Amino acid sequence: MAKPDPTQRISELRRLIRHHEECYYILNAPEISDEEFDRLLHELERLEADYPDLVAPDSPTQRVAGRPVEGFPTVEHLVPMLSLDNAYNDEELRAFDERVRRAAGVGDAAVAYVAELKIDGLSIALTYNDGRLVRGATRGDGVRGEDVTPNVRTIRAIPLSLRPSTGPGRPEAVEGRGAPAGRIEIRGEVYLPRASFARINKDMEDAGMPLFQNPRNTAAGTMRNLDPALVAKRGLAAFTYQIVADVAAAGDGVKTVPYRTHAETLEAMRSWGLPVERHWRRCDGIVEVAAFCTEWAEKRRTLDFDTDGVVIKVDDLALRERLGTTAKFPRWATAFKFPAQQANTRVRAIRVNVGRTGAVTPFAELEPVFLAGSTIGMATLHNAEDVARKDIREGDTVLIEKAGDVIPKVVAPILALRPPEAVPWAMPATCPVCGSALHRDEEEVVWRCENASCAARIRRSLEHFASRSAMNIEGLGESLVDQLVTRQLVRDYADIYAVTADTLAGLERMGAKSAANLVAQIERSKSNDISRLIYALGIRHVGEKAAATLARHLRTMERLLDATVEQLQTVPEIGPVVADSVRAFAAEPHNRDLIARLRKAGVKMTTELPEPVGGEPEGPLAGKTVVLTGTLKSMTREEATEALEKLGAKVAGSVSRKTTYVVHGSDAGSKLEKAQKLGVETLDEDAFLALIMERE
Ligand code: IVH
């Protein structure tokens, strides 16, 4: 028998693999087993190895480049990525509809909308050139994003090439209109399926590592990871919902897409093999839209991804053009946000937790109740003042809420259901762990256990020391720390470096292999940069950023310990509070002794961070002090800080009369109020973006 033509078999395999990827990752309906899928992939890998000339960039074997990326270059979006206005209830939905109808001049006639689920992930812009995926970029500041192409290529729901003809999905409406030639930008959302999130956190738990908070943050963190191989393992997925524009390959004038309605564009995208969330619905008028919103506020828990609302878009693309955009949002769309999920339950007891700094925080032990996908048995109560203000008592029936589906909080007690014997709660007079008296500074709300040898404080401090952003000792998590402290094998940070495989033998869930791994991790942590060590020591008010700043400027542990308060204050961004705290730490003989033992164990006491460039900051915002508060939609706090610092601004943590601007995102709290009280200029997100963009 003649050997099959490799070119033909390769293209057949690629087609088959793409088909099965689509069945599995997009349609959720696999037709073959995982083993059969792997067999196809391996056959293709072998053939491509034998015929390297036939390897193509859009072959499914090319998803993981395996090559770490060096930082991410920034790239400009074809058209800025705007955000969406919000509607929180029926009334606001109707107001949106009124505005659309008025602008459209349709009188009382209904406008057609498309309602889509709002995916709680991070937005992504995908560029296809003649049907080939050439770029994936994050939203960034809306104008420029980060080029994360190697990571995007690992996401199996995102096709490396668009299918030229029609296929499964809803092809009828676009018969004869294949994937476009030229350049086209597709917008969508990358997310982490709940199942992948659960799997990742299970692995983290097994490794004794801190858990990820929610799928969205994990997805965002993963997308910005510099190792595509790790990204591939995390199991990200994506949905696409918009064709922005296509650009003729020759010129760069933005052309409009050849569809009349949004529904048609979704169908077209689907027919090219792009993942389109399938529950979207065309609605005739706002009443149908409202019904869709009510329906999904309930049903959303059945989905394998988090959705925080419904996006409502005018269907008619010509009408969209007429409506246009404001500086911030398109006028043709809005996001209906699902109400925070609430439930009633009973407070069994109010207890307190002792943290590593000795801070004692109350929490409510609840009668378990199922809310928004998980059973809740505990809720934070923040601080004693908050408990008193809300007057939450043991035995109360309370309203609890999961805002943003993360940490549950107690909203208020239901007074009508209060048992007659319930008494106001008071902070215990003594630490529940070591029994020493609790104290509170006059101007602080936090109560503290001041006993540095309190077992709870020691446990939490050791967990912090070993945590990922501190000394990063993988495997040294809560349960192991607990065992080591209980058996008095470890009393302080320096004792960690005396741990051997023998010490670990006989501890629960600690086989020879895990013990060897942990000892290796401990050894490795000795060569960490001193910035990690400074943070790990848990000096009050010294967070990750202050630790890095101190390391950069002082270079060695000796210089840090010997610096006077005045010298510390000359370090940029180090104020009197941090300076005093570092000095107090250094003045304590126990701490000096601890550092001496760490040094003796071989822990590195110097930094590799680049030396600071001298002089005052320069740039268009030099001399300006900015405070950030609340959550920004277009960038993280770190990105905003970096952008400001690049322009020479100083970013401060608290508002004073010296503050130039307070930038506020959503859920801004007391800092915004304080700014208003002091008459400090406040900037919303758009004004902030304008400020940094105009100065760049
Ligand atoms: S359309 C002009 N559709 O929500 C912006 N956005 O709050 C058009 N999002 O930045 C966006 N699901 O990242 C659209 N079905 C969907 C969406 C969606 C999630 C995100 C998107 C956007 C943010 C706005």
Side-chain angles (χ1 to χ4, degrees):
M1 211 172 70
K3 232 177 146 197
D5 175 2
T7 318
Q8 215 176 348
R9 181 62 185 155
I10 283 179
S11 71
E12 182 176 57
L13 281 168
R14 285 183 189 155
R15 202 169 34 74
L16 275 171
I17 291 169
R18 180 60 206 148
H19 170 76
H20 292 302
E21 279 179 344
E22 196 173 338
C23 291
Y24 188 95
Y25 293 102
I26 304 183
L27 299 173
N28 263 334
E31 291 174 354
I32 58 173
S33 68
D34 291 357
E35 291 74 37
E36 282 169 301
F37 179 85
D38 286 343
R39 219 174 295 139
L40 293 174
L41 198 60
H42 286 146
E43 184 184 345
L44 181 60
E45 277 167 0
R46 271 198 307 274
L47 272 174
E48 287 183 352
D50 290 347
Y51 300 93
D53 288 355
L54 299 180
V55 178
D58 62 345
S59 170
T61 57
Q62 302 301 302
R63 284 208 179 269
V64 187
R67 224 174 338 109
V69 206
E70 282 199 20
F72 294 110
T74 58
V75 286
E76 193 162 333
H77 297 301
L78 214 52
V79 173
M81 290 177 94
L82 301 179
S83 68
L84 290 169
D85 204 357
N86 291 320
Y88 289 94
N89 48 44
D90 264 20
E91 208 177 301
E92 290 177 15
L93 263 187
R94 278 171 205 285
F96 162 72
D97 179 54
E98 286 282 324
R99 288 196 298 274
V100 169
R101 282 189 299 119
R102 205 173 321 122
V106 294
D108 286 340
V111 166
Y113 295 103
V114 168
E116 294 167 16
L117 294 176
K118 185 169 188 297
I119 319 300
D120 199 9
L122 66 145
S123 29
I124 193 88
L126 306 170
T127 311
Y128 285 88
N129 242 353
D130 289 336
R132 294 263 172 102
L133 177 69
V134 292
R135 191 176 93 181
T138 61
R139 177 196 161 111
D141 62 10
V143 173
R144 300 180 67 81
E146 281 173 314
D147 183 337
V148 287
T149 312
N151 290 349
V152 167
R153 290 175 63 87
T154 70
I155 302 174
R156 289 189 178 272
I158 297 177
L160 297 175
S161 53
L162 298 178
R163 196 177 24 233
S165 59
T166 56
R170 296 162 153 170
E172 315 76 26
V174 288
E175 203 93 63
R177 294 187 208 172
R183 195 146 72 102
I184 172 169
E185 191 170 306
I186 303 282
R187 299 266 168 92
E189 199 85 356
V190 168
Y191 69 95
L192 188 67
R194 286 187 182 151
S196 309
F197 178 69
R199 177 179 48 76
I200 295 170
N201 260 353
K202 171 84 186 35
D203 292 349
M204 298 298 283
E205 195 178 355
D206 289 350
M209 304 277 286
L211 302 189
F212 289 110
Q213 253 204 340
N214 59 41
R216 186 178 49 139
N217 292 356
T218 318
T222 304
M223 264 329 259
R224 304 190 66 242
N225 193 289
L226 293 175
D227 180 4
L230 179 135
V231 179
K233 277 195 222 131
R234 288 268 166 93
L236 293 173
F239 285 124
T240 51
Y241 45 68
Q242 200 182 4
I243 305 176
V244 168
D246 65 358
V247 173
D252 55 5
V254 176
K255 286 200 309 193
T256 47
V257 285
Y259 304 104
R260 282 171 296 120
T261 64
H262 181 61
E264 272 184 17
T265 57
L266 290 178
E267 282 165 351
M269 290 197 300
R270 186 65 208 91
S271 77
W272 303 334
L274 285 164
V276 174
E277 206 293 310
R278 66 194 169 94
H279 296 103
W280 64 271
R281 189 181 299 164
R282 192 173 174 282
C283 300
D284 238 332
I286 205 70
V287 176
E288 282 184 37
V289 168
F292 183 92
C293 295
T294 312
E295 183 182 328
W296 280 101
E298 261 317 301
K299 276 206 315 209
R300 63 173 160 143
R301 279 182 284 288
T302 60
L303 300 165
D304 186 34
F305 56 86
D306 285 352
T307 155
D308 54 344
V310 171
V311 183
I312 298 122
K313 304 174 180 177
V314 167
D315 191 31
D316 182 338
L317 299 186
L319 175 52
R320 278 196 193 180
E321 281 289 308
R322 292 221 305 278
L323 289 164
T325 67
T326 69
K328 311 177 185 174
F329 319 116
R331 290 200 191 85
W332 46 262
T334 196
F336 174 83
K337 289 291 189 76
F338 292 133
Q341 308 206 32
Q342 298 185 325
N344 284 351
T345 187
R346 212 177 59 86
V347 177
R348 282 184 177 161
I350 297 177
R351 301 195 192 285
V352 296
N353 236 330
V354 186
R356 87 181 143 85
T357 59
V360 179
T361 27
F363 65 93
E365 223 176 74
L366 304 170
E367 224 138 70
V369 56
F370 192 77
L371 175 63
S374 61
T375 303
I376 295 167
M378 239 159 42
T380 167
L381 293 171
H382 304 294
N383 53 56
E385 219 170 60
D386 215 38
V387 181
R389 192 172 46 78
K390 293 180 178 163
D391 188 17
I392 301 163
R393 305 183 182 185
E394 292 186 334
D396 267 348
T397 299
V398 290
L399 180 66
I400 62 163
E401 171 174 297
K402 251 182 163 184
D405 288 355
V406 209
I407 305 162
K409 67 171 194 197
V410 176
V411 182
I414 298 170
L415 296 178
L417 300 178
R418 171 167 286 168
E421 69 278 10
V423 289
W425 182 77
M427 184 60 105
T430 55
C431 170
V433 179
C434 71
S436 49
L438 299 182
H439 293 283
R440 184 173 69 112
D441 277 355
E442 236 168 70
E443 67 276 22
E444 271 206 80
V445 288
V446 180
W447 287 82
R448 285 177 198 282
C449 164
E450 306 282 359
N451 173 11
S453 332
C454 168
R457 290 186 59 174
I458 292 175
R459 284 192 177 89
R460 299 285 101 76
S461 306
L462 290 168
E463 281 164 33
H464 167 77
F465 186 87
S467 67
R468 202 175 335 164
S469 22
M471 294 302 269
N472 193 20
I473 305 176
E474 209 178 314
L476 188 50
E478 196 176 327
S479 100
L480 193 56
V481 164
D482 192 44
Q483 295 186 61
L484 290 169
V485 173
T486 311
R487 297 177 194 217
Q488 302 198 343
L489 295 168
V490 169
R491 262 152 298 198
D492 59 26
Y493 307 141
D495 286 345
I496 294 176
Y497 291 94
V499 165
T500 62
D502 283 346
T503 328
L504 297 169
L507 297 187
E508 277 165 41
R509 289 201 295 167
M510 185 51 70
K513 187 151 176 249
S514 325
N517 283 345
L518 181 61
V519 172
Q521 282 286 330
I522 293 174
E523 187 58 33
R524 192 200 45 75
S525 77
K526 289 182 184 170
S527 49
N528 280 338
D529 194 87
I530 197 185
S531 52
R532 280 182 176 273
L533 178 62
I534 298 172
Y535 174 57
L537 290 172
I539 306 170
R540 263 182 86 188
H541 306 294
V542 179
E544 248 179 294
K545 189 158 174 259
T549 309
L550 289 167
R552 258 159 64 85
H553 287 264
L554 295 166
R555 317 298 301 170
T556 67
M557 186 57 84
E558 275 110 332
R559 289 179 57 193
L560 179 76
L561 295 182
D562 293 343
T564 62
V565 169
E566 292 71 34
Q567 283 164 341
L568 287 163
Q569 280 205 60
T570 60
V571 175
E573 285 162 63
I574 299 298
V577 176
V578 174
D580 278 346
S581 180
V582 171
R583 193 61 221 131
F585 177 90
E588 169 60 51
H590 282 116
N591 293 335
R592 292 262 176 179
D593 177 56
L594 184 73
I595 306 266
R597 285 166 56 222
L598 286 169
R599 187 192 302 276
K600 208 160 153 225
V603 176
K604 180 164 144 180
M605 297 282 163
T606 56
T607 186
E608 309 268 302
L609 293 175
E611 297 238 12
V613 272
E616 283 298 302
E618 285 174 31
L621 295 182
K624 309 241 184 283
T625 305
V626 184
V627 172
L628 298 164
T629 177
T631 314
L632 296 174
K633 288 188 190 141
S634 55
M635 58 181 91
T636 62
R637 185 69 69 96
E638 291 70 39
E639 286 164 345
T641 305
E642 199 183 317
L644 284 163
E645 284 175 352
K646 256 197 212 148
L647 297 172
K650 178 173 164 179
V651 179
S654 57
V655 182
S656 73
R657 279 181 209 286
K658 288 195 201 136
T659 312
T660 322
Y661 306 115
V662 169
V663 174
H664 55 98
S666 56
D667 300 325
S670 58
K671 288 184 194 167
L672 179 57
E673 280 165 28
K674 183 152 181 207
Q676 283 157 347
K677 223 184 271 163
L678 295 178
V680 170
E681 186 172 349
T682 62
L683 305 176
D684 67 9
E685 182 156 358
D686 290 295
F688 165 63
L689 290 178
L691 175 80
I692 57 177
M693 280 187 274
E694 118 200 352
R695 313 282 170 129
E696 249 170 14

